[in-house]
Amino acid sequence: MLRNALGQAFRFLGYTVQYGCIAHCAFEYLGGIVVCSGPSMEPTIQNSDIVFSENLSRHFYCIRKGDIVIVKSPNDPKSNICKRVIGLEGDKVCTSNPSDFLKSHSYVPKGHVWLEGDNLRNSTDSRYYGPVPYGLIRGRIWLKIWPLNDFGFLRASPNGHRFLDD
């Protein structure tokens, strides 16, 4: 009786560990569902929108300009932020605010990306904390799930003029 109970308990524990490992790998390498909060990505992503983030792009270095990514916050490693990639390593980016009269430019260093929110007037981004290491990218958002009336692939940046081709 005790032997049977212990056998079932160990079998249950084994299955739990196996399925836990599968779930971990799926969320770490394939992707997951993310609830976005804050106004920095408006109008593209509103507060409390639910999106799908895929994680394969970051592992294969397939992040491109214009992609919206989930990143570990450079200011608070316990939280994630959602921003748009404006520049990749070696790109020339505008580092000033849109309201500044004199525009300043810089180059994104090797192994980094330049991130900005779509709501430039209400976004803490690379204009504030500088280029972000590529290793902090957690995933790329490509599909909005909720609200249902806005379901689909994400639209282009309303700030496309900030992409420099120099």
Side-chain angles (χ1 to χ4, degrees):
M1 175 87 168
L2 180 62
R3 176 184 252 177
N4 190 19
L6 282 175
Q8 286 181 349
F10 281 123
R11 259 193 306 282
F12 177 75
L13 182 62
Y15 287 134
T16 302
V17 170
Q18 286 176 349
Y19 291 121
C21 289
I22 291 170
H24 168 74
C25 289
F27 289 126
E28 180 67 24
Y29 295 103
L30 297 179
I33 295 173
V34 177
V35 178
C36 296
S37 63
S40 71
M41 285 302 294
E42 292 176 357
T44 308
I45 299 174
Q46 304 290 327
N47 191 33
S48 300
D49 280 359
I50 300 174
V51 296
F52 182 78
S53 169
E54 62 85 13
N55 299 350
L56 289 174
S57 293
R58 74 179 171 113
H59 293 293
F60 293 115
Y61 296 94
C62 296
I63 302 295
R64 298 183 319 243
K65 278 198 267 189
D67 287 346
I68 299 174
V69 293
I70 300 289
V71 180
K72 283 283 181 200
S73 172
N75 293 339
D76 179 14
K78 293 180 182 175
S79 66
N80 292 320
I81 58 174
C82 175
K83 303 291 179 196
R84 189 177 298 271
V85 177
I86 301 298
L88 301 170
E89 63 181 44
D91 286 345
K92 183 179 178 182
V93 292
C94 180
T95 58
S96 55
N97 288 314
S99 59
D100 293 347
F101 179 71
L102 295 173
K103 303 296 181 197
S104 58
H105 297 88
S106 181
Y107 287 93
V108 180
K110 184 174 174 80
H112 290 71
V113 293
W114 189 268
L115 304 174
E116 291 182 1
D118 285 354
N119 185 355
L120 292 174
R121 298 194 192 291
N122 196 2
S123 177
T124 302
D125 48 37
S126 287
R127 294 171 294 151
Y128 174 74
Y129 44 70
V132 175
Y134 192 91
L136 292 182
I137 296 176
R138 306 299 305 147
R140 179 177 65 97
I141 295 175
W142 63 278
L143 183 69
K144 189 184 288 191
I145 299 171
W146 188 265
L148 285 177
N149 64 341
D150 209 10
F151 179 87
F153 298 106
L154 296 172
R155 57 181 166 256
S157 172
N159 306 311
H161 62 281
R162 297 205 33 105
F163 294 89
L164 300 175
D165 292 325
D166 293 343

